[in-house]
Amino acid sequence: MLFSNVGHYSLIFGLIISVILILHSIKRLNDNNIILGKKIFYLLFSQFFTVVLSLIFLIYSFVISDFSNQTVYNNSHSTKPLFYKISGTWGNHEGSLLLWMFVLTLFIFIFFIKSKNQPKNYRLLTITFQQIIIIGFFLFLLLTSNPFNYLYPVPKEGLGLNPILQDPALAIHPPFLYLGYVGSSIIFSSSLAALIQNNVNKEWAVHIKKWILSTWIFLTLGIMLGSIWAYYELGWGGFWFWDPVENVSLMPWICLTALLHTIVVLEKKSILKTWILILSISTFTLSMSGTFLVRSGILNSVHTFANDPGRGVFILVFLLALVLLAIVIFFLYQDKNIKVEKKIFWMSKETVILINNWFMMYFLSVILVGTLYPLFLEVLTNNKISVGPPFYHKLILPFLVPFMFLMAIGPNLKWTKHNFNKINYQQILLLIVALIISFLIANLNGVNLLFVTVVIAFGFYLFFVTLKDFFEKKYNISQKLAHFAFSFFILSVLFNGIFSTEFSANMKIGDKIHFDEGIIKFKKIETYNNKNYKSLVGSFEIQDKKNNLINLNPEIRIYNQPSILTSEADIKTSFFYDKFLVFNILKDDNFFNVRYQIKPFMLWIWISILLLATSGLVSFIKKIK
Amino acid sequence: MKIIKFLLIVVFFSITLQNYLFGKENKLTVEKISKNLRCLICQGQSVYDSQSDFANSVKIIIKKKIEQGKSENEIYEFFTNKYGEWIVYDPKLNIQTVILWIFPLILFIFGGLLIIRKVFIN
């Protein structure tokens, strides 16, 4: 109880500091002293400290299972392992918002320390805008989602955490995603400040690129962790379903990736200023509206766990206010910044980056319309439609072909004006080799989709070109690595999609079934009693065509608080494929539904995304040196 | 050398082309169809992914329909007639979904025009 009170008041104190910071910043805008003293430093630090204090108290309440705290009562249970008591702190709405606040206040503090070489007023304005966002979230937290609500009489036991959230990947997935989302708020505030200060120039580009890069790395990893979790925990062997909640995390990523490319143009050529501002504002808007859509419960999704319409309205109003603010500032100050920009020569790196943005915006629009259109249609006409994987595949796959082609040749063009001297036979040769390989693969395996074959061909082309460029040292290593990782990713996903096989049957203990890929034997079931769940571990033996034996032991968990059944797949990962086995209880007691899948190149998908994130890291390290 | 390369390519292309034109039809499977149908009682799962009673009975119906020799589209149509558009993940192009399908493409054309203006006309 004491802790809850301290946590609560600490947040109110943080809110007050926000107001002081805004007033102080505005006052300092007009004076001539160009040095920002210790005052702001201490204010930002104390604000960060108030949130840290709250967070620590909440975590502590979870650890000691203090059920007088409503959040703890709703989301924890005394028999839960310590690790999940801690991660359960942000596994719920209130706690995750507190984590969000933690990252918000941490980032603006870091921004202040790391922006010493930037103009004074630009820094003050960034802090002001960021504090407006922080105030919004403080109010949201205190008014609609207070994590420190007090319960009396104190319940003896908590309601427990949804078991499928009790997972290591999911313990770190939200923090990473939040680091990404909150990073985009810094980019947002900073670009508005730069716009007002007529400061959108090369120096600003160099400075903000570090933020763009780090945000991008966190978002990339955050999305990957969520995907890995879905792969092994949701029990169907898929890693991406174009589910609305997955889409809303991908949209800011795409927008940010476009920004990451365009900021280089500003850095080198000092053009495309308006467009960069639009991208910065959009990335943040998409991050925020993602939170809104997920939290409001409007979306029908596998990932919907906690939602409340009242909260949705708050975020929506707050988001609209911020966007409106951004638009007003944009139109008031835009003209000052943008003088007539120089013409771009058609064969140049600038043009290719513009084309990259063109495709990125197309992909973004596909996902945006696919996610939102069914909602609008239902409101307007009461007709429900579903937009799923086939829609996205049809609209995205064809555009990947020219996209990957340009990804291969684009980086080798020169800035300003590329002289096209002679035909590069090496490139043509690589394209031919790529075409032949993919046609061979398709033919040997009886893939009848001409179109997929072409996509594979261009995936290989990009793969070869980037691989070749690695050996020519004059190029930017992080850029090469990123494009290489992307081709690697696309190829892995395509092969995984095409060559996955599966076998499914209802079996009872002692059954032995022959199927296309070998023989599966259901040997026995063992029952274990764990602290907060009972588990049934199945023992299966699978003999493949080459007579190799493997044993797989999938599990069914029966949780006591709340009482939920989950299936834990057993996955044997090897370099070329994953063997994935999951089983489920059927109504007929003796039988179990068994699903066995061979999923090629799963590991490569994760490796390629890690490589992508690494490329960002390499670039980031080069920037801070 | 170049001629050999050229010949090789021609050979490969003709073989593949032949396969595409005269190759066997892709086999229709329960797996393929159930991935494109929504499990109506679940939270955002496909029939393929779900183990619910609803999903299992839909899978049995799909199997029967395939055995009856129904085509893929006929099967989707059967389910839409029974449960409405909500069940298929691939929305049909009609007056209600025209914006859904066309909007990104229009945006793409518009973006292309913007780039042309930026690069060629000033």
Side-chain angles (χ1 to χ4, degrees), chain A residues 397 435-457 460 491 493-501 600-601, chain B residues 12-13 15-27 32:
Chain A
L397 274 179
L435 280 168
I436 292 174
I437 290 181
S438 67
F439 277 101
L440 272 180
I441 291 174
N443 253 318
L444 293 177
N445 294 287
V447 177
N448 254 351
L449 302 160
L450 177 62
F451 194 67
V452 172
T453 322
V454 177
V455 182
I456 294 175
F460 267 120
L491 286 175
V493 169
L494 287 173
F495 288 146
N496 181 270
I498 297 169
F499 299 123
S500 285
T501 54
F601 309 114
Chain B
F12 277 120
F13 267 96
I15 292 172
T16 24
L17 207 60
Q18 206 178 0
N19 275 7
Y20 285 120
L21 294 178
F22 309 108
K24 56 185 187 303
E25 276 291 302
N26 268 355
K27 222 180 96 196
K32 190 182 170 205

Side-chain angles (χ1 to χ4, degrees), chain A residues 37-38 47 49 249 256 288 307 332 354 378 421 425 464 486 597 607 610:
Chain A
K38 287 277 175 217
Q47 186 180 44
F49 184 72
S249 70
L256 195 63
M288 283 279 292
N307 50 60
L332 280 179
L354 266 184
E378 196 185 337
N421 297 327
Y425 285 106
F464 290 143
F486 184 78
Q597 302 181 65
I607 291 177
L610 280 177

Side-chain angles (χ1 to χ4, degrees), chain A residues 338-601:
Chain A
I338 317 301
K339 293 164 201 95
V340 176
E341 289 184 348
K342 273 172 287 173
K343 201 176 157 185
I344 295 176
F345 184 67
W346 70 277
M347 177 83 101
S348 65
K349 200 173 249 177
E350 295 92 302
T351 313
V352 189
I353 289 179
L354 266 184
I355 295 175
N356 153 291
N357 277 220
W358 180 30
F359 277 87
M360 285 293 185
M361 290 304 113
Y362 170 74
F363 295 139
L364 182 63
S365 72
V366 172
I367 301 173
L368 192 67
V369 78
T371 310
L372 296 182
Y373 190 79
L375 298 176
F376 286 117
L377 192 69
E378 196 185 337
V379 171
L380 294 176
T381 68
N382 231 350
N383 270 349
K384 281 173 109 178
I385 59 161
S386 297
V387 177
F391 170 81
Y392 297 102
H393 293 167
K394 278 179 194 165
L395 284 183
I396 288 177
L397 274 179
F399 288 80
L400 277 180
V401 171
F403 185 64
M404 288 195 291
F405 179 71
L406 288 162
M407 276 179 83
I409 59 165
N412 295 343
L413 295 186
K414 291 192 178 65
W415 291 102
T416 315
K417 188 173 182 179
H418 185 85
N419 285 317
F420 191 66
N421 297 327
K422 55 177 193 289
I423 299 167
N424 190 337
Y425 285 106
Q426 222 175 1
Q427 296 269 345
I428 296 176
L429 186 68
L430 287 177
L431 184 58
I432 292 170
V433 171
L435 280 168
I436 292 174
I437 290 181
S438 67
F439 277 101
L440 272 180
I441 291 174
N443 253 318
L444 293 177
N445 294 287
V447 177
N448 254 351
L449 302 160
L450 177 62
F451 194 67
V452 172
T453 322
V454 177
V455 182
I456 294 175
F458 278 86
F460 267 120
Y461 174 63
L462 178 58
F463 186 82
F464 290 143
V465 170
T466 44
L467 203 61
K468 175 183 79 80
D469 287 345
F470 270 123
F471 298 103
E472 294 167 21
K473 286 201 176 114
K474 58 185 173 172
Y475 296 116
N476 178 346
I477 180 86
S478 52
Q479 178 274 314
K480 282 295 156 211
L481 188 60
H483 284 207
F484 173 76
F486 184 78
S487 71
F488 196 35
F489 172 73
I490 291 289
L491 286 175
S492 314
V493 169
L494 287 173
F495 288 146
N496 181 270
I498 297 169
F499 299 123
S500 285
T501 54
E502 88 150 45
F503 163 76
S504 162
N506 294 338
M507 299 176 79
K508 62 178 189 296
I509 298 170
D511 273 0
K512 188 174 166 183
I513 298 183
H514 290 258
F515 63 107
D516 289 353
E517 304 289 326
I519 304 166
I520 181 165
K521 215 156 71 183
F522 189 171
K523 294 200 309 207
K524 59 174 191 280
I525 281 194
E526 278 162 8
T527 314
Y528 301 95
N529 280 311
N530 291 22
K531 203 176 169 196
N532 57 339
Y533 60 88
K534 195 175 115 182
S535 78
L536 305 174
V537 179
S539 173
F540 292 84
E541 188 182 83
I542 291 158
Q543 189 178 354
D544 66 13
K545 284 180 197 155
K546 291 170 195 155
N547 288 331
N548 296 319
L549 281 180
I550 60 159
N551 283 303
L552 287 165
N553 304 304
E555 190 183 343
I556 295 170
R557 288 184 184 171
I558 304 159
Y559 282 85
N560 51 15
Q561 270 308 327
S563 102
I564 284 181
L565 279 183
T566 68
S567 306
E568 308 286 311
D570 192 13
I571 306 170
K572 286 269 180 307
T573 299
S574 65
F575 195 67
F576 287 110
Y577 45 78
D578 275 15
K579 290 181 170 168
F580 185 105
L581 186 71
V582 64
F583 79 134
N584 279 293
I585 293 178
L586 285 179
K587 279 220 172 110
D588 182 353
D589 269 345
N590 292 322
F591 278 90
F592 293 85
N593 180 273
V594 178
R595 188 183 275 189
Y596 175 62
Q597 302 181 65
I598 300 175
K599 306 193 73 67
F601 309 114

